[in-house]
């Protein structure tokens, strides 16, 4: 029984020592209110700066998107013009091959040679000469 009592007192001593060490450690590591406020202010300033940077980046990206959409529309219109010229050249080639050279030249009169590609220009010159 004496040994159990001795073990119990030793166990209680260890627990209280450990609790005292924890209390002392918590007291040393405690932040004051001013330190917490300064830390929060610094965090708010950093977040505000990051928010401003992200808004600027978003604006730049929206501008880029608008420019790319406008370029896409221009390319679509250009593609449609090339397709129209291609169809007109194909029709003129068919008329030329059938022997209707005058009809082929009349079809090509509406085309602007400056807007044609190299291959289209070659066919255009071949049919108009």
């Amino acid at each position: 029984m004496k040994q159990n009592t001795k073990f119990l007192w030793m166990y209680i001593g260890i627990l209280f020592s450990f609790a005292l060490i924890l209390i002392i450690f918590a007291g040393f590591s405690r932040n004051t209110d001013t330190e917490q406020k300064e830390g929060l202010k610094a965090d708010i300033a950093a977040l505000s700066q990051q928010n401003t940077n992200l808004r600027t980046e978003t604006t730049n990206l929206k501008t880029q998107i608008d420019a790319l959409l406008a370029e896409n529309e221009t390319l679509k219109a250009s593609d449609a013009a090339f397709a129209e010229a291609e169809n007109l050249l194909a029709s003129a080639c068919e008329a030329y091959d059938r022997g209707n050279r005058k009809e082929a030249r009349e079809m090509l009169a509406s085309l602007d040679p400056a807007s044609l590609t190299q291959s289209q220009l070659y066919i255009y010159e071949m049919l108009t000469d």
Side-chain angles (χ1 to χ4, degrees):
M1 180 101 151
K2 268 193 172 211
Q3 197 165 17
N4 285 342
T5 309
K6 185 179 177 183
F7 178 73
L8 182 64
W9 281 110
M10 200 165 73
Y11 182 71
I12 291 172
I14 290 172
L15 283 178
F16 279 117
S17 299
F18 188 67
L20 183 64
I21 290 170
L22 286 177
I23 290 170
I24 291 171
F25 181 71
F28 284 135
S29 66
R30 195 178 110 215
N31 288 339
T32 62
D33 287 339
T34 10
E35 290 173 345
Q36 287 180 354
K37 285 179 185 177
E38 289 173 7
L40 289 174
K41 285 180 183 178
D43 290 344
I44 289 172
L47 288 174
S48 177
Q49 181 63 35
Q50 187 177 8
N51 189 20
T52 304
N53 293 342
L54 289 174
R55 284 186 182 176
T56 304
E57 186 177 346
T58 301
T59 304
N60 292 341
L61 289 174
K62 284 181 181 178
T63 305
Q64 258 185 331
I65 288 172
D66 291 340
L68 289 173
L69 287 174
E71 183 180 352
N72 187 24
E73 291 301 319
T74 304
L75 290 174
K76 281 182 182 179
S78 176
D79 187 43
F82 283 136
E84 183 180 328
E86 194 74 32
N87 290 336
L88 191 59
L89 282 171
S91 298
C93 274
E94 288 175 13
Y96 188 84
D97 288 342
R98 285 191 311 254
N100 296 333
R101 289 178 169 78
K102 185 177 181 183
E103 181 184 344
R105 286 189 185 110
E106 288 174 0
M107 285 182 184
L108 296 176
S110 64
L111 277 180
D112 179 22
S115 66
L116 299 176
T117 63
Q118 285 291 92
S119 58
Q120 289 174 342
L121 187 60
Y122 175 75
I123 294 170
Y124 176 84
E125 289 174 352
M126 185 181 73
L127 294 175
T128 55
D129 288 339

